[in-house]
Amino acid sequence: MMFYDFETTTFGKWILAGEHAVVRGHPALVFPIKEKKLTLTYSAAATSLGADYTGSSGADMQLLFWSVLEHGMQLLGRSLNQLVGFFHLDSTIPVGAGMGASAALCVAMSRWFCAQQMIELSQCNDFAKELEHLFHGKSSGLDVAGVAMEEGVYFKSGTITPLQQKIRPQFFLSSCKQIGITSHCIQQVQNLWTERPELAEQIDKQMVAAVEEARTALELGGADAISSLAQAINKAADCFYQWNLVSESLQQHMNRLAEEGALAVKPTGSGGGGFVLSLWDKQPPESLELLIA
């Protein structure tokens, strides 16, 4: 096999609205976090297979990296023993925070498989989704879309439409200091579909409305745009309450943001913990440790 030097960068991601419902074919709005990124570099010259890791989340990527590489080779009917070369991963995307660390790795690795001519360029996105199944059971492809793009997108059933934003609101992300377990949150929503399907469907419809209203506000702009956007975000947040995915620490953090003057707050990602999205019409207090979304 011939190997080729390679480098690529992917980003973290955050979701404005559409969580959970997206796996049932409904739309979602997802954005890259340019401040959090993963750069994968590969040197083909090394005679054996190796890797090293730098960056604030580099060490956490070690186990993920080898499992993704091995899974990718297995999907192609190949063995790790066939590989040589040295990988370097530099990552500042926190793992287990709902910022798409696993998706960022899967997209970067899929691009690497493509560059090594093991898969076609047209297969790159689907292969990244296959790799992501390793972490989320069946991936909707939303995270993969978010980490691979330079701008926000409207995502529905695998189709990606770039947002034509008229306004650039002040969005921030902040951690409630408690990790949300994605698989547990997904299972909780699934249980609701089993036990109370009518309610579950109603919540999905509410989330869809939140997505469409938020998209309209961003793309049309106008005097009422921020107010409409805040209502859409709060509508999406209410879905998390109905799914029972707002933990005590998450609630306390959201309350604090509201008390400090946020126009709207909601969990972003699977819920149960993790990061909170907040919308502001002024500069938030520095004490909140906010990350620009």
Side-chain angles (χ1 to χ4, degrees):
M1 287 174 72
M2 279 282 292
F3 294 101
Y4 306 92
D5 288 352
F6 175 76
E7 182 172 319
T8 193
T9 296
T10 52
F11 303 105
K13 64 89 185 130
W14 63 276
I15 301 169
L16 175 51
E19 294 96 335
H20 293 291
V22 71
V23 299
R24 287 174 289 281
H26 296 305
L29 298 172
V30 63
F31 295 77
I33 307 173
K34 299 289 185 64
E35 290 79 13
K36 299 291 181 184
K37 62 185 180 180
L38 178 149
T39 299
L40 173 73
T41 311
Y42 172 75
S43 170
T47 52
S48 59
L49 181 62
D52 68 3
Y53 317 87
T54 55
S56 55
S57 300
D60 293 334
M61 279 290 174
Q62 185 168 346
L63 201 57
L64 301 185
F65 166 74
W66 287 110
S67 55
V68 168
L69 181 60
E70 186 169 18
H71 186 53
M73 292 296 281
Q74 285 174 349
L75 287 171
L76 298 170
R78 299 169 185 253
S79 163
L80 273 183
N81 298 332
Q82 296 172 264
L83 295 181
V84 295
F86 196 83
F87 291 90
H88 175 73
L89 280 86
D90 183 85
S91 180
T92 57
I93 309 172
V95 174
M99 283 193 184
S102 61
L105 177 62
C106 290
V107 169
M109 289 306 299
S110 186
R111 291 174 183 171
W112 177 83
F113 278 105
C114 192
Q116 308 311 318
Q117 300 179 356
M118 292 192 222
I119 59 172
E120 299 290 326
L121 185 59
S122 60
Q123 297 174 291
C124 193
N125 194 46
D126 285 339
F127 196 70
K129 276 170 63 176
E130 286 288 327
L131 294 176
E132 250 255 303
H133 291 342
L134 194 61
F135 302 97
H136 294 312
K138 183 153 175 50
S139 167
S140 67
L142 177 66
D143 286 9
V144 163
V147 302
M149 306 303 285
E150 294 281 333
E151 292 285 346
V153 299
Y154 175 87
F155 176 95
K156 186 176 182 182
S157 300
T159 302
I160 297 164
T161 308
L163 286 171
Q164 307 298 321
Q165 282 181 245
K166 284 267 175 60
I167 59 169
R168 299 280 171 177
Q170 285 200 88
F171 289 123
F172 290 87
L173 298 172
S174 51
S175 174
C176 77
K177 305 287 195 281
Q178 178 194 344
I179 288 178
I181 310 298
T182 301
S183 56
H184 172 73
C185 295
I186 291 170
Q187 189 58 54
Q188 196 148 313
V189 175
Q190 198 53 52
N191 289 345
L192 188 66
W193 273 93
T194 304
E195 294 159 15
R196 301 184 65 188
E198 287 180 5
L199 174 61
E201 188 172 352
Q202 185 183 315
I203 300 170
D204 269 15
K205 285 179 180 173
Q206 181 173 323
M207 184 60 90
V208 170
V211 170
E212 299 297 351
E213 289 165 20
R215 181 189 189 183
T216 299
L218 290 171
E219 293 194 328
L220 287 186
D224 297 329
I226 295 297
S227 170
S228 299
L229 184 58
Q231 286 177 14
I233 291 170
N234 287 328
K235 185 176 283 189
D238 184 59
C239 294
F240 282 87
Y241 285 105
Q242 294 187 73
W243 285 320
N244 199 24
L245 292 177
V246 179
S247 64
E248 192 175 335
S249 59
L250 192 51
Q251 180 68 70
Q252 287 174 355
H253 186 67
M254 289 166 69
N255 289 347
R256 186 178 169 210
L257 290 166
E259 285 162 8
E260 293 286 0
L263 299 178
V265 294
K266 71 173 276 289
T268 179
S270 58
F275 278 77
V276 172
L277 169 68
S278 53
L279 172 68
W280 301 74
D281 62 355
K282 61 179 184 180
Q283 196 59 34
E286 287 183 12
S287 61
L288 287 173
E289 296 179 38
L290 301 184
L291 170 75
I292 297 170

